[in-house]
Structure formats: C-alpha cells, structure tokens
Amino acid sequence: MTLREKEKILLQKIKAGDPTAYMTLVSPFRERLFRKAVSMVKDSDDAEDIVQDALISGYKSIQNFRAEAGVYTWLYRIVVNKSKDLLAKKKRGREKPMDDSGDNQFVDEREGYEKKLELSEESRYLMDKIGLLEDSYKQVLELRYFENLSYNEIAEIMECNVGTVKSRLFKAKEFLKHLILKDEKGEGFFEK
C-alpha cells in the first residue's frame, strides 16, 4: 500500500469521525515540520508553537482537504505560512517580549537542530553558504536535498510548475557553487 493510499484511508476515517485517525495521519510528519519551522524562525519554542498551530489549523480544515497534494505538502505550506506570519509580526514589533525577571522561565532540554544532526565543520560551512542565498533558492535546495521531496511535491509547495522548480534548483546550485568558490575554505568542495 502506498503512502497516498494510506493517507486516503485515514482521511476517510477522519471525515467519518474517528478522533485518533488525524494524529495517526500527521504524526510521521511532525519532526520534519518542526525542523522547517526552526529553520525559518530560528527559535525552538516558536517553532513548536507554529507546528501545534498548524496541526490544529489542519484538523479544523481537514473536511475541505481535497487530497490533490499529499498531506505533508499541505501541512508544510501551513507551517511555512504560519512561520512567515510570525516573522512579519515580530518585524512589526507587535509581539511583546517575555518577562526577563527569571520567574516563569523554562529551560529547553532538547538538543538543537544542528546538534541533533551532528553537523560537521564542512556541513556547517555549507549550511552557512546556503543561508546566503535568496529565499526561493534556499527553499528549493532544502526541499530537494534535506526533505527529499520530488519535483512535483516541491512544485505543489512552492506553487509553481515543475519546470520552474528545476530551473530554480539549477540556479541555486550555480549560485551556491559561486559562493563556495569565492571563499578559500571552499576550494576542497569542487575539483578544478
């Protein structure tokens, strides 16, 4: 049974009123959604809130989900939009800072995303260079190489056609190569 077939069965159960089917449907994607939110907002607490909010929004609108895209693609878009909303809200300065008095402060004992992946020095270097790219190029690289999504899935998420995805991916790799070759540290990445 394919993933899409499993998703369709779970969607039927959800629409029929099975309260546990939604968690079964979305739980395999939770960590990946969290990583995406962290990569955008750079804060694990905010990322956790975004994922929770996205999953609640998804649950509330699941009756309208047409299953033209995969569930992960749909939830990914929700997470990206909620992350953008939070970043815009913070930029406008409407979000009030938490009380810094030390009371009510919590310690996040989870390991950071980079620690969890145990990034080598070379990987950190590469991630830094990817971070310098325009958002559309950075996003297409992340979706293809870190999320292992197909061109069709990337096109659904980025709301463009497959040809645009391929073009952006090609350009992203060229820009990344240029950034790396400009730097002395990057000489070992490509053979001359």
Side-chain angles (χ1 to χ4, degrees):
M1 183 180 300
T2 67
L3 179 61
R4 287 287 173 113
E5 291 169 340
K6 290 177 188 176
E7 287 179 358
K8 286 181 181 180
I9 290 169
L10 287 168
L11 286 167
Q12 289 171 348
K13 288 181 178 183
I14 293 165
K15 291 178 181 186
D18 183 341
T20 61
Y22 184 71
M23 287 311 296
T24 304
L25 178 68
V26 300
S27 62
F29 309 124
R30 199 172 197 320
E31 183 65 27
R32 289 168 65 193
L33 295 170
F34 175 74
R35 286 194 313 258
K36 180 58 188 170
V38 167
S39 77
M40 290 185 72
V41 299
K42 310 293 188 231
D43 181 274
S44 62
D45 292 331
D46 285 343
E48 187 63 41
D49 291 343
I50 287 167
V51 171
Q52 285 293 338
D53 193 25
L55 293 177
I56 290 168
S57 295
Y59 183 73
K60 287 179 179 177
S61 62
I62 196 79
Q63 297 297 331
N64 300 325
F65 180 62
R66 295 185 308 265
E68 292 170 359
V71 172
Y72 175 73
T73 303
W74 176 61
L75 290 171
Y76 181 95
R77 268 194 237 148
I78 295 172
V79 166
V80 167
N81 290 335
K82 292 198 176 288
S83 296
K84 286 179 180 178
D85 291 346
L86 178 70
L87 291 171
K89 188 176 183 180
K90 283 185 173 185
K91 189 173 183 178
R92 288 189 304 264
R94 291 187 184 161
E95 188 144 292
K96 295 181 181 176
M98 287 187 66
D99 178 21
D100 287 341
S101 66
D103 300 336
N104 302 324
Q105 295 294 316
F106 299 97
V107 176
D108 186 359
E109 295 186 17
R110 292 175 294 183
E111 291 184 21
Y113 177 57
E114 286 80 12
K115 287 181 190 173
K116 188 183 257 187
L117 293 177
E118 296 179 353
L119 292 177
S120 67
E121 188 175 327
E122 291 168 344
S123 296
R124 278 191 296 266
Y125 170 81
L126 189 59
M127 294 301 288
D128 289 344
K129 294 299 179 190
I130 290 171
L132 297 173
L133 297 174
E134 288 181 27
D135 286 342
S136 63
Y137 297 125
K138 187 178 354 177
Q139 184 182 23
V140 76
L141 284 171
E142 287 176 359
L143 293 172
R144 184 68 178 157
Y145 297 110
F146 301 129
E147 298 293 331
N148 296 316
L149 297 181
S150 70
Y151 292 124
N152 288 332
E153 291 170 319
I154 296 169
E156 289 173 15
I157 289 170
M158 296 183 77
E159 297 176 340
C160 62
N161 63 45
V162 173
T164 302
V165 169
K166 290 179 180 179
S167 172
R168 284 185 188 164
L169 188 59
F170 176 80
K171 288 178 183 175
K173 290 190 282 188
E174 287 299 308
F175 289 141
L176 184 60
K177 182 177 180 178
H178 176 74
L179 286 171
I180 290 171
L181 289 176
K182 268 182 26 178
D183 190 348
E184 290 176 11
K185 292 180 184 176
E187 290 176 0
F189 278 88
F190 300 100
E191 293 185 32
K192 294 186 179 187

